[in-house]
Amino acid sequence: MTVAVAFFQPGWADWEAGSVLALLREHLGVQIEIATPDGEPQTSIGGVLAAADYKFSDPVLSDADVFLLIGSDAWVGFRDEAVFGLLRQAVADGKIVGAICAGTVAAARARLFEGRAHTSNGQDWLLEQEAGYAGADGYVDTPRAVTAGKVVSASGLAPITFAAAIGRLIAPESEQMLAGYEAMFAKEFSAA
């Protein structure tokens, strides 16, 4: 069974986590685990208290197949070389790493964007958080998630394409369902 670990900082973004975790668990049968900085429950922007399975430093996290950095303002001040090393090793091992919204700051600090196309909440914003990060020349200004190898990045306004991109890496055979998932949510914006 595929295991995905979602990294929740204090003030994690409900809409970013909800889209990807629900899609992976409900439609692709992925086992979802939650990691928080200290292994304690963390409250979302919307006030949802999420229980933790692990703390960021638990060695067992390296066994996961998918690593999801869910947006939170707490990522801006986060610097933990052990976590960054875990993410670099995951990419080196061919595992999936997804970063959305401020989670892209951690990905930039972990040097995951070096030599890869990526996006975030705006290039100026990302450079403001991590000036001169490795791979800044690969920034793509797009409202949709960007996939480069097994690294997916997205702005906080693209939770649906982020979820679908992660889903495509896990289950490429589910393309028809994933395209339908994106189209279903796009209907809200297609009405005149």
Side-chain angles (χ1 to χ4, degrees):
M1 171 180 278
T2 301
V3 175
V5 59
F7 289 74
F8 281 9
Q9 290 271 21
W12 54 274
D14 312 63
W15 66 96
E16 296 167 7
S19 300
V20 67
L21 299 183
L23 174 70
L24 298 186
R25 184 174 179 273
E26 180 69 19
H27 298 288
L28 298 179
V30 173
Q31 179 178 322
I32 304 297
E33 298 174 349
I34 305 298
T36 63
D38 55 6
E40 294 299 316
Q42 294 297 332
T43 303
S44 73
I45 291 172
V48 175
L49 185 64
D53 299 298
Y54 304 104
K55 57 186 172 184
F56 285 2
S57 62
D58 281 337
V60 72
L61 294 182
S62 64
D63 294 336
D65 305 294
V66 182
F67 300 80
L68 302 169
L69 305 173
I70 302 301
S72 161
D73 288 344
W75 287 116
V76 172
F78 182 82
R79 295 185 184 274
D80 184 324
E81 285 304 319
V83 171
F84 299 157
L86 171 69
L87 297 171
R88 282 191 296 275
Q89 189 61 53
V91 171
D93 291 344
K95 296 180 178 185
I96 299 164
V97 176
I100 184 167
C101 194
T104 60
V105 175
R109 289 182 179 147
R111 299 190 310 275
L112 301 188
F113 296 151
E114 191 170 3
R116 288 186 179 86
H118 62 281
T119 196
S120 180
N121 294 340
Q123 186 171 38
D124 290 343
W125 179 84
L126 188 54
L127 285 167
E128 184 179 309
Q129 311 315 313
E130 188 61 19
Y133 70 90
D137 57 338
Y139 189 86
V140 179
D141 187 16
T142 178
R144 299 176 57 84
V146 171
T147 302
K150 292 197 175 179
V151 176
V152 178
S153 56
S155 86
L157 302 178
I160 302 304
T161 62
F162 178 74
I166 297 293
R168 286 182 174 98
L169 290 175
I170 293 170
E173 71 280 2
S174 298
E175 175 56 34
Q176 184 174 356
M177 181 273 292
L178 293 166
Y181 170 84
E182 286 180 307
M184 176 180 67
F185 283 99
K187 287 180 182 180
E188 176 181 4
F189 302 100
S190 64

